[in-house]
Amino acid sequence: TVDALHLLNDSTQLPPAYQDLAASYVKTKEFNTAFDYYNKAIGMLKSSKDTLNWALAVSNLASGYQTKTDYKEAEKRYLEVLT
C-alpha cells in the first residue's frame, strides 16, 4: 500500500498509512521502526501545515514512547503538542 502511494505521489494518504504501520510496530515492540514511521508522517504533516493531524501524529509518537517506558521522551513529545 505504501509503495503504491509513493508511486502515485499521494501525499495526503501517506501520513495515515505511515501512522498505521507505526502503530503496528509499536504493538510488536519494534519501537525504532515505529518511531521512524511516525517521524515520516510528522515531517510530511508539518510540511503541509496540517496542524491537527500533525498534533495527533506527535501524540501517537509520544504514546509509543510511553509504551516503551521512555517517559522522559514521551513527556517531551506531549509537551511539543501543547506548545
Side-chain angles (χ1 to χ4, degrees), residues 8-27:
L8 295 172
N9 197 26
D10 190 344
S11 62
T12 61
Q13 294 302 311
L14 274 171
Y18 285 150
Q19 289 188 78
D20 289 344
L21 285 168
S24 295
Y25 282 112
V26 167
K27 287 180 183 176

Side-chain angles (χ1 to χ4, degrees), residues 15-82:
Y18 285 150
Q19 289 188 78
D20 289 344
L21 285 168
S24 295
Y25 282 112
V26 167
K27 287 180 183 176
T28 60
K29 299 191 184 316
E30 296 176 65
F31 296 108
N32 291 334
T33 304
F35 299 154
D36 287 343
Y37 278 113
Y38 277 131
N39 283 313
K40 285 181 181 185
I42 289 165
M44 293 180 79
L45 293 165
K46 189 172 186 175
S47 293
S48 69
K49 301 185 187 322
D50 184 347
T51 55
L52 175 62
N53 286 312
W54 171 86
L56 291 171
V58 175
S59 293
N60 289 334
L61 175 61
S63 178
Y65 279 111
Q66 191 172 347
T67 301
K68 186 183 175 187
T69 67
D70 185 344
Y71 300 116
K72 187 172 184 173
E73 189 64 28
E75 179 183 34
K76 176 182 163 188
R77 299 302 178 142
Y78 283 128
L79 290 172
E80 181 181 351
V81 172
L82 296 173

